[in-house]
Amino acid sequence: MSFEDLGLEPSILKAVSEAGYSEPTPIQRAAIPEAIRGRDVLGIAQTGTGKTASFTLPMIQRLSKGRARARMPRSLVLAPTRELAAQVADNFEKYGKYQKLSMALLIGGVSFADQDAKLTRGVDVLIATPGRLLDHFERGRLLLTGIEVMVVDEADRMLDMGFIPDIERIFKLTPITRQTLFFSATMPPEIQRITDQFLHDPARIEVAPPATAAATISQHILRLETKADNVKRAGLRKLLDTEGVKNGIIFCNRKSTVDIVAKSLQKHGYNARPIHGDLAQAFRMETLEKFRSGETKFLVASDVAARGLDIPDVSHVFNFDVPVHAEDYVHRIGRTGRAGRQGTAFMLVTPADGKQYDAILKMLGVKEIDALNIKVDVEPREQRSRADERPRREERGERGRGRRRTRPDREPSSSTREKNAAAPAGDRERPRKNAEPRRRKEESEDVVGLGDHVPAFLLR
Ligand code: ADP
Ligand code: MG
């Protein structure tokens, strides 16, 4: 089946083919015709299955007719994080280049005034994170009564981040006649309840869980005799030196570990950069850009920062830590072996990881994962014990104070933030009071202030 069979207009097909896609993915094949028919869609599919195009393409088709009115967006896409919202905006730009659709983005790190001016002129597509959207709404800057299509992307992640009450509220602010396209990788009871309540007779589209995807991923572990971080870092370097490692994502369980591992790799001459929720938006964007372009070979990441990011063609995934939640293992290794390509996943396993490792084996339904027979030598210099668990001051690239907040390439101080008069005070994707407790503390994406670097397309 080709894109031509889905009922899309020639100008959209042209943009799709110029994007380099020849065949729709299973979710696109199933969702696009239903959405074009005007049906609600409930799409259940893992990261990397092509969900974005499965809602942007039918939306572009529908919105190409008709005109937007001041402060009354015609469609709304809700995404859990700024990066994901920006990716959706990118997709609208790419596939909608032959349509004259207007678009605004309400996310942290993007000027309020610019986006507000766009809203005033009227937008066809409004892309937002839930907290930001409600901020604007509460200020009376927009009406949601003109919404024809509403999309909720990565719903289960919204749940993790405590956004479900916001989503419910937003649903209630939009007209009941809207078309709803709703996507989630999993369907926990809270998500099921929302879809039962707000979707009308949806086409339920479920694509195969990653058991099949994992077939293209060769998985290995490296057993270490101790859980000491310096030994783990030496083990990681061994793995990075394995033949054929082109690039890769290195997952750590904690943001502090992400920082330490990235610094340590840089010190050993590896081209690595950290990405996690405490880093400034501008720094994260720059890191992703560098990784996509190949300038950065290794991305050291936390789960929340990496889930759902559109990072093409990763040959290797490294689990520096065994993930605490077994399902994170699947998300992590799912960053490789995409679209039928071969991928490789490595994991460091220490005696302290027994329980978590067993949970992963159980979830995968296997007795064991291939254990590599590699000896890890720790350089004498590296044999620091307790002190090594924390980064030394010079390792963190700072003079004086030991806080990363003072680093210029990271989040701006609150004074920088206040200086930006156009920015609303509530510049945060705040977890609400009644946020789900499921969210892990270490991973709370406490949102930072305004980055100074904003990609051009966001400002246009
Ligand atoms: P998801 O939202 O399900 O995680 P994305 O929409 O971000 O997935 O797509 C994942 C990757 O696959 C992106 O790099 C995207 O450009 C690519 N992609 C999407 N659809 C196709 C297609 N039909 N053919 C080839 N690549 C595609
Ligand atoms: Mg997505």
Side-chain angles (χ1 to χ4, degrees):
M1 194 190 246
S2 73
F3 276 104
E4 277 77 11
D5 305 321
L6 303 180
L8 294 164
E9 283 164 13
S11 60
I12 300 176
L13 290 173
K14 186 157 182 260
V16 167
S17 112
E18 283 165 10
Y21 300 169
S22 47
E23 255 187 58
T25 66
I27 185 113
Q28 291 162 1
R29 218 174 295 156
I32 292 172
E34 297 287 1
I36 288 178
R37 245 171 260 143
R39 267 189 91 177
D40 281 4
V41 169
L42 172 57
I44 305 160
Q46 299 287 334
T47 306
T49 50
K51 291 189 288 292
T52 325
S54 65
F55 62 83
T56 48
L57 298 179
M59 283 175 80
I60 292 167
Q61 178 130 325
R62 174 170 182 161
L63 296 168
S64 63
K65 298 165 202 79
R67 271 197 68 205
R69 289 156 63 192
R71 303 206 172 278
M72 289 180 71
R74 297 172 65 206
S75 69
L76 172 65
V77 180
L78 293 173
T81 65
R82 295 175 290 182
E83 279 86 357
L84 288 168
Q87 273 175 26
V88 171
D90 248 341
N91 275 257
F92 271 106
E93 294 250 319
K94 195 160 63 176
Y95 309 134
K97 65 179 179 181
Y98 299 113
Q99 269 75 20
K100 287 195 187 68
L101 296 183
S102 52
M103 184 162 76
L105 254 176
L106 300 181
I107 58 176
V110 172
S111 148
F112 177 92
D114 291 350
Q115 304 305 306
D116 192 58
K118 286 186 179 175
L119 280 172
T120 306
R121 288 196 294 271
V123 294
D124 297 300
V125 185
L126 176 60
I127 303 166
T129 47
R132 264 297 173 114
L133 181 81
L134 286 173
D135 277 348
H136 275 65
F137 181 80
E138 279 155 16
R139 283 153 201 258
R141 308 309 299 169
L142 72 121
L143 284 169
L144 295 174
T145 44
I147 298 291
E148 298 168 39
V149 190
M150 172 164 158
V151 176
V152 179
D153 195 14
E154 307 254 0
D156 48 353
R157 226 177 124 190
M158 303 247 200
L159 172 69
D160 285 345
M161 298 176 76
F163 286 145
I164 292 301
D166 288 353
I167 302 290
E168 280 191 78
R169 188 158 164 232
I170 295 165
F171 262 123
K172 287 178 183 156
L173 294 169
T174 61
I176 197 152
T177 51
R178 73 179 179 259
Q179 179 183 18
T180 308
L181 310 174
F182 192 103
F183 296 88
S184 192
T186 57
M187 287 297 288
E190 299 93 324
I191 301 285
Q192 187 64 53
R193 183 179 60 77
I194 295 265
T195 57
D196 289 347
Q197 187 178 354
F198 295 107
L199 271 61
H200 307 295
D201 182 32
R204 186 185 164 108
I205 297 158
E206 208 162 342
V207 309
T212 47
T216 61
I217 304 171
S218 81
Q219 301 172 54
H220 311 274
I221 61 164
L222 176 58
R223 286 201 181 273
L224 299 173
E225 278 164 23
T226 122
K227 63 169 188 175
D229 267 9
N230 60 325
V231 176
K232 288 180 82 172
R233 290 198 296 268
L236 173 66
R237 292 196 297 276
K238 274 269 188 203
L239 295 178
L240 297 182
D241 297 339
T242 307
E243 237 172 283
V245 174
K246 187 180 98 198
N247 64 1
I249 308 181
I250 299 157
F251 285 98
C252 307
N253 290 353
R254 292 159 179 272
K255 290 180 281 199
S256 52
T257 316
V258 168
D259 284 333
I260 296 169
V261 170
K263 268 274 168 247
S264 158
L265 287 175
Q266 288 162 6
K267 215 174 69 185
H268 282 86
Y270 295 84
N271 192 339
R273 278 170 76 103
I275 189 158
H276 62 64
D278 277 356
L279 297 170
Q281 168 79 346
F283 185 83
R284 289 198 269 172
M285 291 262 193
E286 191 189 328
T287 299
L288 276 181
E289 215 29 71
K290 288 193 154 133
F291 191 69
R292 285 203 192 101
S293 72
E295 197 183 325
T296 292
K297 276 183 76 174
F298 299 109
L299 200 62
V300 190
S302 66
D303 289 290
V304 168
R307 250 167 95 171
L309 289 178
D310 179 15
I311 306 160
D313 197 22
V314 181
S315 67
H316 290 72
V317 166
F318 303 87
N319 290 281
F320 182 80
D321 297 310
V322 175
V324 178
H325 301 274
E327 69 266 28
D328 282 338
Y329 179 75
V330 176
H331 283 291
R332 288 178 180 187
I333 70 168
R335 312 306 319 202
T336 184
R338 286 193 181 191
R341 274 191 293 263
Q342 186 62 43
T344 307
F346 292 115
M347 179 160 65
L348 298 175
V349 181
T350 76
D353 300 320
K355 241 165 90 188
Q356 287 160 219
Y357 180 56
D358 286 347
I360 290 169
L361 295 180
K362 194 168 156 214
M363 187 195 56
L364 296 174
V366 298
K367 282 219 172 63
E368 56 187 6
I369 297 174
D370 171 61
L372 299 168
N373 191 8
I374 296 178
K375 196 172 162 340
V376 177
D377 315 299
V378 181
E379 300 159 27
R381 196 173 56 80
E382 275 267 297
Q383 279 173 344
R384 282 178 267 133
S385 54
R386 294 290 282 289
D388 196 53
E389 306 277 322
R390 301 200 156 275
R392 286 175 308 169
R393 191 178 282 161
E394 62 270 31
E395 268 185 339
R396 307 193 59 155
E398 287 168 29
R399 281 145 267 124
R401 284 184 287 164
R403 294 303 313 268
R404 89 168 81 77
R405 271 162 205 282
T406 56
R407 292 177 60 156
D409 61 340
R410 304 226 180 153
E411 66 183 85
S413 68
S414 57
S415 61
T416 320
R417 213 159 136 186
E418 276 144 27
K419 261 183 256 153
N420 192 331
D427 176 35
R428 307 167 33 97
E429 283 301 325
R430 56 208 186 242
R432 296 300 162 113
K433 279 193 201 76
N434 43 358
E436 303 287 330
R438 289 180 46 180
R439 198 161 167 214
R440 275 161 265 154
K441 189 141 196 292
E442 259 299 322
E443 273 291 6
S444 64
E445 295 250 315
D446 261 352
V447 167
V448 295
L450 299 170
D452 49 4
H453 166 80
V454 175
F457 75 84
L458 298 183
L459 299 172
R460 228 177 290 140

